[in-house]
Amino acid sequence: MANFRASCRDPTAQNPPNVSSSGSGGVCMMRNTWRDEQHPSFINFISSFLSANSFRLNFVPIAPDFIFNCGGLSVAFVFVTNWDCNNYLSTYIRVQKLKEQFANLYIVVTLPTREQNDSFVHSYFKLGMKLGRPTFVPVQDLEMGFEKIVKIAHARGVCKRQDVASKLRAERKRSVQGMDVFLRVITSIPGIDNHDANSGIVMNNSINMIMHDLNQAIGSIESIAKASKDYILKNTDLSDDKIKTITRFFRDPKFYLSLKINRWEKKEGR
């Protein structure tokens, strides 16, 4: 992200240059009518910025203001360059329509004044917009807004190429499975179970205080097994009796091989 070049700002230029880039960074499609509504110097800035970052620019009749294709992923943008404090409803109506058409949609809004910023915030919550559906990106000036657009499109393309979403889902699944194993091992220790209210363990398989203390302060099951009593005492809020039980569980075969269910059956008179 830090490699993006923002040094091509030239607000005095009047005509957009021909973009001769190979488009290795991706393709940017700009809505014709949006282009016609902007000052030529800003279109010149956009063309120069895209060319400097290896994007190919096309002017086409599309519904959103921009569509970027990076790494095989299409990302749509609405770019509001002049927020009207007295007539913002049409913007939200348009956004709602586009949200149904594009899975990846971002709304960039230029808010250079305090009045415009307050108007936007008020209207956003007044109309009951849901955070992130779609994502609104407030900016202070036009150039900053377009730079945000390109960076978002680029980042989404990189994620697509690296399949980051699938990796995050797999990592989450492994984390949940690892915590389940952790829970089973710790709650198999005699005297520490998920029905012991005094130990801070909560019903419905919630993570309890003992689990939290051990996992956060000590680490994995292997780390807990190797940790000394003094180390656990120093780094957790567990009682001395609980710590003795835990350290004994990992070091005394006769203790950790005893069946906990037998203990429960005796307590319940089964």
Side-chain angles (χ1 to χ4, degrees), residues 215-228:
N215 195 17
Q216 295 295 319
I218 309 301
S220 65
I221 294 171
E222 291 81 359
S223 298
I224 295 170
K226 295 177 181 178
S228 66

Side-chain angles (χ1 to χ4, degrees), residues 37-251:
E37 295 168 354
Q38 311 306 316
H39 193 279
S41 63
F42 184 45
I43 301 302
N44 179 74
F45 165 78
I46 290 174
S47 299
S48 299
F49 189 83
L50 291 172
S51 180
N53 291 286
S54 301
F55 280 88
R56 186 170 71 251
L57 175 62
N58 296 325
F59 300 104
V60 291
I62 54 177
D65 298 329
F66 293 91
I67 297 178
F68 279 76
N69 190 292
C70 303
L73 179 72
S74 292
V75 186
F77 294 89
V78 171
F79 192 3
V80 182
T81 56
N82 185 22
W83 179 261
D84 189 344
C85 299
N86 300 314
N87 185 27
Y88 51 73
L89 187 59
S90 58
T91 298
Y92 286 105
I93 293 174
R94 181 183 176 216
V95 167
Q96 291 298 329
K97 291 181 179 178
L98 291 173
K99 186 178 70 172
E100 303 300 323
Q101 303 174 38
F102 296 91
N104 303 302
L105 176 65
Y106 293 83
I107 317 301
V108 177
V109 186
T110 305
L111 304 170
T113 70
R114 177 65 178 271
E115 180 186 5
Q116 288 176 312
N117 183 75
D118 292 345
S119 170
F120 167 72
V121 173
H122 175 74
S123 65
Y124 185 89
F125 291 102
K126 177 183 177 181
L127 296 176
M129 299 298 294
K130 295 182 179 179
L131 292 174
R133 297 183 181 182
T135 298
F136 281 74
V137 183
V139 295
Q140 291 184 337
D141 59 62
L142 298 176
E143 290 82 1
M144 179 188 296
F146 189 72
E147 289 172 13
K148 289 280 188 182
I149 287 174
V150 177
K151 289 179 179 181
I152 291 171
H154 174 72
R156 292 298 305 270
V158 170
C159 290
K160 174 68 174 179
R161 285 193 296 268
Q162 297 179 353
D163 199 18
V164 171
S166 295
K167 292 179 180 178
L168 287 174
R169 284 193 294 268
E171 180 62 30
R172 177 179 293 180
K173 183 178 180 180
R174 285 194 296 270
S175 177
V176 170
Q177 291 174 339
M179 184 55 70
D180 184 58
V181 172
F182 187 88
L183 176 63
R184 292 187 182 190
V185 171
I186 297 303
T187 56
S188 69
I189 301 174
I192 300 178
D193 57 67
N194 57 352
H195 295 285
D196 185 356
N198 292 327
S199 68
I201 299 175
V202 185
M203 298 287 285
N204 300 323
N205 295 325
S206 298
I207 301 303
N208 55 75
M209 188 62 71
I210 291 177
M211 291 283 295
H212 182 271
D213 283 349
L214 288 172
N215 195 17
Q216 295 295 319
I218 309 301
S220 65
I221 294 171
E222 291 81 359
S223 298
I224 295 170
K226 295 177 181 178
S228 66
K229 174 187 171 182
D230 291 339
Y231 184 82
I232 298 176
L233 182 64
K234 179 180 178 181
N235 291 278
T236 71
D237 293 328
L238 301 180
S239 68
D240 189 65
D241 289 341
K242 295 289 184 183
I243 295 173
K244 287 180 180 178
T245 302
I246 291 169
T247 53
R248 184 184 174 193
F249 176 81
F250 287 109
R251 290 168 174 77

